[in-house]
Amino acid sequence: MSAVFVILWKDLLSEFRTKEMVLSMLVFSLMVAVIFNFSFPPGSEFIQQAAPGILWMTLVFASLLGMNRSFVYEVDKGCMQGLMLAPVNRTAIYLSKLLVNFIFITIVELVVLPLFSVFFKLEVLHVAGQLALIMFLGTLGFTIIGTLFSAISVNTKTREVMLPILHFPVSIPIIICSVQATTAVLQEQGWQVLWGWCKLIVVFDIIFLIVAYFTFEFIIEE
Amino acid sequence: MSDSIASGSQTAAIKVHGLSKTFGNQFALRKIDFELPPGEFLTIFGPNGAGKTTLIRILSTLTHASSGEVEMGGIVPSKEPDKIRRQIGVIGHQTYLYENLTAEENLKFYGRLYGVTDLDQKIATIIASVGLRLRRRDCVRTFSRGMQQRLAIARALLHEPTILLLDEPYTGLDQHAAEMLSGWLRELRSSQRTTLMVTHDLERGIDLADRIAILKKGRIVFYEKRENVDRSNFKQTYYKLVGDEQNTA
C-alpha cells in the first residue's frame, strides 16, 4: 500500500510543478460551459433537461485530456521501466494512477459544478449532498476505465485518439447512469429513483475495478 | 568455448541455461547459455537486433523468457521477481528519471519504492559521490545528458544492488561524459559487484570486461575470458563474426 502513496506523492509533486493536467481540463470545461451558456437561454426548460448530459459529457471529455497525460510522464525517459524494475506490485502502479486521476478530476469538478449552476441557473445547493454522491461514483467509474485504457493507449502512436475510442464504448453504461441520476436529483424525482441509478453505477464500478486490477499487469508487461 | 560458457559452477551470480525468447515466429534469443561468477564484469557485444536488450529485459524481470532458465544470486527471477528486483540495479540508455523532480526528489522516490532505510543519509552520500551535491535541488530537466546519466547511476546504486545490468549506457553521451562514465564503471568494478553490460562500444567494453561475449542473431557466438582475448585482433574477430549482419544492417 505504501508504494501506492509513494507514486501518488511523486505524481502530485510533478503536477504541482507543471499544472499541465488540471489546467488543460479546467480550460476545456470552462470553454464548454461558456459556449453552452451563450447557445441556450439560461433557465429555459430545455437547458434544465439537457444540463445533466452537458455536464457529464464536459467532465468525461475534460478527464480524457488529463488521463491521456497520466502515463505520458512515465513513458518519457523510460520511467515506466524504472517503476517496473522496483520491487512493488504492478497493481500499486495502477491504483496510484487511478487515485491521482480521481483527485485531479475531482478538483476540476469542484470548480466546474458551481459554474454550471450559475451559467444554467440550476438550483443545486439543496441537493449538494446527493450530487456529490453521484459525482463520486460516476467519476470513479470512468476514471477506473480511463486509467486502464490510458496505460494501453500511451504505447500507441495515436494515443490522443486511441483513448477516447477505447474509453467511450466501455464507459457508456456509467455515463448514462450518471446522467440519469443527476436528472433525478435536479428534477427532484425522489430517493427511490436516485438510489436505483446509484446502485447500477456501484455495480459497474466494482466490475470494472476488478477487471482493471487483474489485467493491468499483463497490459504493461508486453 | 562451451566449457567457459557453462562451467557448472554452483556459485555463479548469473546463470542462464537454454534461454530463448520469441516474438511471434521471430527468435530474439536462441538457447543461450552462460554463467558469470560473482564480482565479474561481462561485456556483451552485438549488432542491432542481436537480442542484447531482450536479454537485459529478461534478466531484469521486465519481460518473460519463452523457454529456458535464469538464476541470479540463487534466485529464479520468474518465481521471485520482487526478491530479484531488490538485488539488481539497471542503467539503460534511458535514465528513468522524472524531469520535473529535483535530483534529490528522484532519489527519494526510488529509495522509498525500494524501501531503503536511512534514506536521507544514503542520498546525501551517493549524490556527493556522483558529483551532483551542488545541483541536488535542481530539476533534472536542467541537467546535461552526462549529469542525468550520473544521477541514473546514483538511482541504480541507491538500494545497494549486488548485480548491475547496463544496457548501452554510453548512448547519447559526448566524449567527455563517456570517459566520466567509464571512470564510474571502473570504480563500480572494483567494488566487486557482478556486472553485465551490453554495448556497441568495442574499446570501452573491452577495457572494463573480465569476460567478453558476442551475440549474433540471438545466439552467443563468442565467449571468452578477457585475458584470453587478443585485444589488437578483437575488432577483426568481432567484424568477422558479425560482419555479414553489419553489412546488411
Side-chain angles (χ1 to χ4, degrees):
Chain A
M1 199 62 188
S2 67
V4 174
F5 291 108
V6 171
I7 301 169
L8 180 68
W9 166 80
K10 182 266 298 172
D11 281 345
L12 291 175
L13 189 62
S14 192
E15 179 61 18
F16 179 73
R17 299 251 160 85
T18 63
K19 298 170 186 71
E20 274 180 20
M21 281 172 71
V22 173
L23 267 183
S24 61
M25 288 193 282
L26 265 179
V27 169
F28 176 83
S29 305
L30 293 179
M31 274 170 47
V32 174
V34 170
I35 289 168
F36 274 101
N37 184 44
F38 282 103
S39 303
F40 303 105
S44 68
E45 196 179 331
F46 173 76
I47 203 72
Q48 294 289 328
Q49 286 173 351
I54 296 170
L55 174 66
W56 278 99
M57 285 320 291
T58 305
L59 292 175
V60 171
F61 273 106
S63 67
L64 287 175
L65 285 178
M67 286 191 287
N68 237 330
R69 301 290 307 162
S70 64
F71 279 96
V72 170
Y73 293 124
E74 305 298 345
V75 174
D76 287 348
K77 305 284 176 189
C79 294
M80 193 68 193
Q81 286 191 18
L83 280 181
M84 289 168 68
L85 287 167
V88 296
N89 196 321
R90 306 289 205 238
T91 49
I93 302 172
Y94 173 76
L95 291 176
S96 61
K97 291 292 174 189
L98 171 62
L99 266 177
V100 82
N101 283 335
F102 184 79
I103 290 169
F104 293 154
I105 295 167
T106 303
I107 291 171
V108 173
E109 287 173 350
L110 288 173
V111 177
V112 168
L113 193 58
L115 280 173
F116 261 72
S117 70
V118 172
F119 284 170
F120 298 151
K121 289 198 167 42
L122 301 171
E123 297 290 334
V124 295
L125 268 182
H126 65 293
V127 288
Q130 295 166 47
L131 273 179
L133 174 69
I134 301 164
M135 287 289 173
F136 173 80
L137 294 175
T139 305
L140 184 63
F142 69 72
T143 311
I144 288 169
I145 300 165
T147 306
L148 183 70
F149 285 146
S150 65
I152 297 172
S153 65
V154 76
N155 289 315
T156 63
K157 282 180 184 169
T158 54
R159 61 170 77 122
E160 278 79 14
V161 182
M162 193 56 75
L163 180 57
I165 288 173
L166 292 171
H167 187 274
F168 279 123
V170 181
S171 62
I172 274 176
I174 288 173
I175 297 169
I176 290 173
C177 292
S178 302
V179 170
Q180 293 296 341
T182 310
T183 306
V185 169
L186 294 178
Q187 295 181 359
E188 298 180 359
Q189 294 173 359
W191 270 101
Q192 196 84 18
V193 181
L194 171 64
W195 188 233
W197 291 115
C198 283
K199 275 195 288 190
L200 263 179
I201 304 173
V202 169
V203 170
F204 283 124
D205 284 2
I206 292 170
I207 291 170
F208 288 129
L209 188 60
I210 291 170
V211 171
Y213 191 87
F214 287 106
T215 55
F216 184 75
E217 184 170 350
F218 299 101
I219 286 169
I220 60 167
E221 280 206 350
E222 292 290 346
Chain B
M1 191 167 69
S2 60
D3 284 347
S4 56
I5 289 178
S7 60
S9 161
Q10 295 299 308
T11 55
I14 302 176
K15 273 190 202 178
V16 172
H17 179 63
L19 186 71
S20 293
K21 175 73 180 176
T22 54
F23 295 103
N25 55 6
Q26 293 283 320
F27 272 90
L29 295 172
R30 294 166 190 256
K31 295 192 173 177
I32 282 185
D33 295 287
F34 71 87
E35 289 186 5
L36 185 62
E40 289 207 7
F41 194 119
L42 167 66
T43 303
I44 299 180
F45 300 106
N48 291 333
K52 305 186 297 296
T53 297
T54 304
L55 176 62
I56 292 278
R57 284 179 63 83
I58 293 170
L59 294 179
S60 60
T61 74
L62 285 174
T63 193
H64 297 289
S66 302
S67 62
E69 292 157 22
V70 175
E71 204 178 300
M72 295 169 79
I75 303 164
V76 178
S78 58
K79 287 182 184 162
E80 297 176 282
D82 280 357
K83 210 167 174 182
I84 200 69
R85 283 175 196 141
R86 285 184 196 284
Q87 293 203 14
I88 57 170
V90 180
I91 300 169
H93 44 266
Q94 289 188 300
T95 58
Y96 311 157
L97 298 171
Y98 294 91
E99 295 201 317
N100 295 318
L101 302 188
T102 66
E104 214 169 50
E105 286 164 351
N106 266 288
L107 295 182
K108 205 169 266 186
F109 170 65
Y110 280 107
R112 285 173 179 165
L113 282 185
Y114 280 87
V116 175
T117 53
D118 201 10
L119 185 58
D120 289 338
Q121 182 59 43
K122 279 183 183 153
I123 288 175
T125 308
I126 205 158
I127 219 161
S129 73
V130 294
L132 292 171
R133 195 176 62 83
L134 296 174
R135 300 291 305 271
R136 68 189 186 279
R137 292 198 178 126
D138 291 343
C139 279
V140 168
R141 66 169 178 268
T142 65
F143 286 12
S144 67
R145 176 78 176 98
M147 288 163 75
Q148 288 190 18
Q149 195 65 325
R150 273 146 64 194
L151 187 60
I153 294 171
R155 173 197 54 74
L157 297 178
L158 186 63
H159 60 287
E160 296 170 348
T162 52
I163 297 170
L164 266 181
L165 303 172
L166 313 176
D167 183 10
E168 306 280 8
Y170 293 100
T171 305
L173 297 182
D174 61 30
Q175 195 66 19
H176 178 65
E179 285 307 319
M180 283 184 76
L181 177 62
S182 289
W184 287 110
L185 293 179
R186 255 178 237 114
E187 273 186 35
L188 292 178
R189 197 180 154 210
S190 62
S191 68
Q192 292 301 302
R193 278 192 177 87
T194 308
T195 308
L196 189 154
M197 175 169 78
V198 301
T199 183
H200 291 293
D201 195 323
L202 297 184
E203 290 295 321
R204 293 195 176 95
I206 294 174
D207 270 349
L208 293 160
D210 294 307
R211 290 166 191 254
I212 294 166
I214 297 174
L215 200 59
K216 181 192 176 185
K217 291 182 178 172
R219 284 197 176 94
I220 290 187
V221 292
F222 181 93
Y223 189 96
E224 280 294 346
K225 285 187 173 178
R226 164 75 179 83
E227 66 225 36
N228 298 332
V229 175
D230 179 0
R231 192 187 168 122
S232 57
N233 274 337
F234 183 70
K235 219 172 206 174
Q236 281 171 299
T237 309
Y238 175 78
Y239 286 119
K240 197 173 158 189
L241 286 169
V242 303
D244 295 343
E245 207 165 312
Q246 288 284 290
N247 292 333
T248 54

